[in-house]
Amino acid sequence: MTALTLSTAAATGLRADAIVVGVAKGAGSKGGLVVAPGAEAVDKAYDGKLASVLETLGASGGEGEVTKLPAPSGFKAPVVVAVGLGEVPEKDETYGTDALRRAAGAAARALTGSKKAAFALPVEDAEDAGALAEGALLGAYSFDAYKGLADAKSAKKNGKDAKAPLAEVALLGGKPRDKAYKAAVERAVAVAEELNRARDLVNTPPNDLNPEAFAAVAQAAAKEHGIKVQVLDEKALTKGGFGGILGVGVGSEAPPRLVKLSYTSSKAKKHLAFVGKGITYDSGGISLKPAGHNETMKCDMAGAAAVFAAVVAAARLGLEVNVTGWLALAENMPSGSATRPGDVLRMYSGKTVEVLNTDAEGRLVLADAIAKASEDQPDAIVDVATLTGAMMMALGNRTFGIMANDDAFRTSIHEIAEEVGEPSWPMPLPADLRKGMDSPTADIANMGERMGGGLVAGLFLKEFVGEGITWAHLDIAGPAFHEGAPYGYTPKGGTGSAVRTLVRLAEHTASGDLG
């Protein structure tokens, strides 16, 4: 993990591999490039001509754009890195926290292989410092656990490991002795480290991360951070009547697990339950996915990874709220023992489900976990899942959908997600779509109308929420796994989607902001 410090040092005299400054697009068509606050000393060293030099090099100030140039004479750092912040804020406004977060992430990625960088980006308050810290730590993320020995030898031969992430970041303009600044950075470190752990889990190949292995990771982290953990294996699941989880996992040689992580605070007045879909590999089962649709299905446990990370982060932050995480873990494989289309499963809640499509498996494991979580009578349940391709069709690859049985709660989660920089959108649960899941054989079918399939899945889950419990469903199918080029603080592969939303929800609940 990249080391991070607050510093009051001057950019000109700091020993580092690079000084990072911010630039932006000036207002209007002829606004030109603008050097952002924090870089005054650097601009002065260029005789006030940093913007014009960068424009000559083609810089526009566009969001995430990175331009490198030699540092001025007298600097102890050899390179200046200018990163775009987008449009200059309106009068009396400042750069948004997510603009800062994305800029820091882009700069950290651009400095892969460097030992130390000083970030002279805009810092108006502790919140800005926290955003920059979070962006830098997320942007510096790298998943190299499976890189070959030959690459390591080659890198050593050239004198350094060119693939190593940026080792150290010094945030200039921060206040190391200020309690608010220190708290903001400490929070950023805890959240980023756990979010990056979730990314690691999502990126781990399924031959090394089956349900048992995932449960072992959760047990180790729980022990480290004082979290109570309970793991139900296949025998306990059978005894408990968890027909949904067992029905999905029965076709695999790697049996399913249900993991309960309990973080409690002696000062808590509220209790949140987070439920995560943890399909460690999804082949589709007997309803086998076609070629081209299964190569990234190691990511189908991203919801459970997000829940796991959020509970550990809550514990590390010492939040005054009780948070229980439920990881519904199974591998969905075809075999002679696999659940067939047409089979009927008796769920933990006692309801029966006719399985019309074994590739609609996430809702089955979640239904059991939601029903079990409801027994604790939490103040709210939030489930997180890479649930439907339909949600990707509706909202694209970067935005997750939010459904809920309470409009105010749905709105609150949407606002929280936007606050932390996670694009999301509120979605309805139209009552007329429920009829499509009527079954002549069972209480409900696991499939309904094709149109509005993401909403149908939400309606299915709603059936298993305990009476009187506030509930929301986050469908992160789009943003959980990024297949394109990295941008901002978002890497290729697992993203850690929804971790920051869950953590901020827990923070707001602890402070009483959500009633």
Side-chain angles (χ1 to χ4, degrees), residues 101-311:
R101 198 180 286 119
R102 290 191 296 263
R109 281 192 300 102
L111 290 167
T112 296
S114 299
K115 291 183 179 179
K116 182 176 181 178
F119 282 39
L121 292 166
V123 179
E124 293 285 336
D125 52 28
E127 186 179 10
D128 287 349
L132 290 173
E134 191 175 273
L137 296 176
L138 296 180
Y141 172 81
S142 176
F143 184 71
D144 298 323
Y146 293 82
K147 296 294 184 182
L149 184 62
D151 288 346
K153 285 181 177 178
S154 173
K156 236 177 187 181
K157 195 174 181 182
N158 292 330
K160 68 174 183 177
D161 182 0
K163 295 184 179 180
L166 174 61
E168 183 181 350
V169 171
L171 290 181
L172 307 185
K175 298 178 181 179
R177 297 182 182 179
D178 185 287
K179 288 183 179 180
Y181 278 76
K182 286 172 66 177
V185 170
E186 287 170 2
R187 178 195 180 279
V189 170
V191 173
E193 285 184 351
E194 295 312 318
L195 191 151
N196 283 339
R197 194 205 304 250
R199 289 172 169 179
D200 282 348
L201 287 166
V202 174
N203 289 327
T204 299
N207 58 319
D208 280 348
L209 191 76
N210 59 26
E212 184 179 6
F214 196 146
V217 172
Q219 286 175 305
K223 183 177 181 180
E224 180 184 356
H225 296 289
I227 299 168
K228 186 178 179 182
V229 62
Q230 179 185 17
V231 178
L232 301 184
D233 62 13
E234 65 272 30
K235 291 181 182 179
L237 291 170
T238 300
K239 185 177 179 180
F242 292 87
I245 296 174
L246 290 166
V248 174
V250 70
S252 172
E253 291 184 356
R257 296 285 187 270
L258 177 61
V259 179
K260 180 182 182 181
L261 297 165
S262 302
Y263 161 68
T264 57
S265 167
S266 60
K267 298 180 180 179
K269 295 181 180 179
K270 297 286 185 177
H271 176 201
L272 294 175
F274 297 153
V275 180
K277 173 187 173 183
I279 305 300
T280 58
Y281 182 74
D282 182 20
S283 70
I286 296 297
S287 305
L288 194 67
K289 293 178 183 290
H293 289 76
N294 48 21
E295 289 79 1
T296 61
M297 282 299 103
K298 65 180 182 180
C299 80
D300 215 18
M301 36 58 67
V307 165
F308 165 55
V311 175

Side-chain angles (χ1 to χ4, degrees), residues 12 17 20 24-25 90 95-96 108 168 224 227 230 243 264 277 312 315 334-335 354 480 493:
T12 53
D17 294 315
V20 176
K25 290 182 175 182
E90 297 288 334
Y95 291 93
E168 183 181 350
E224 180 184 356
I227 299 168
Q230 179 185 17
T264 57
K277 173 187 173 183
V312 177
S335 72
E354 182 181 11

Side-chain angles (χ1 to χ4, degrees), residues 9 48 79 101 283 334 350 433 439 452:
V79 176
R101 198 180 286 119
S283 70
L433 290 178
S439 165

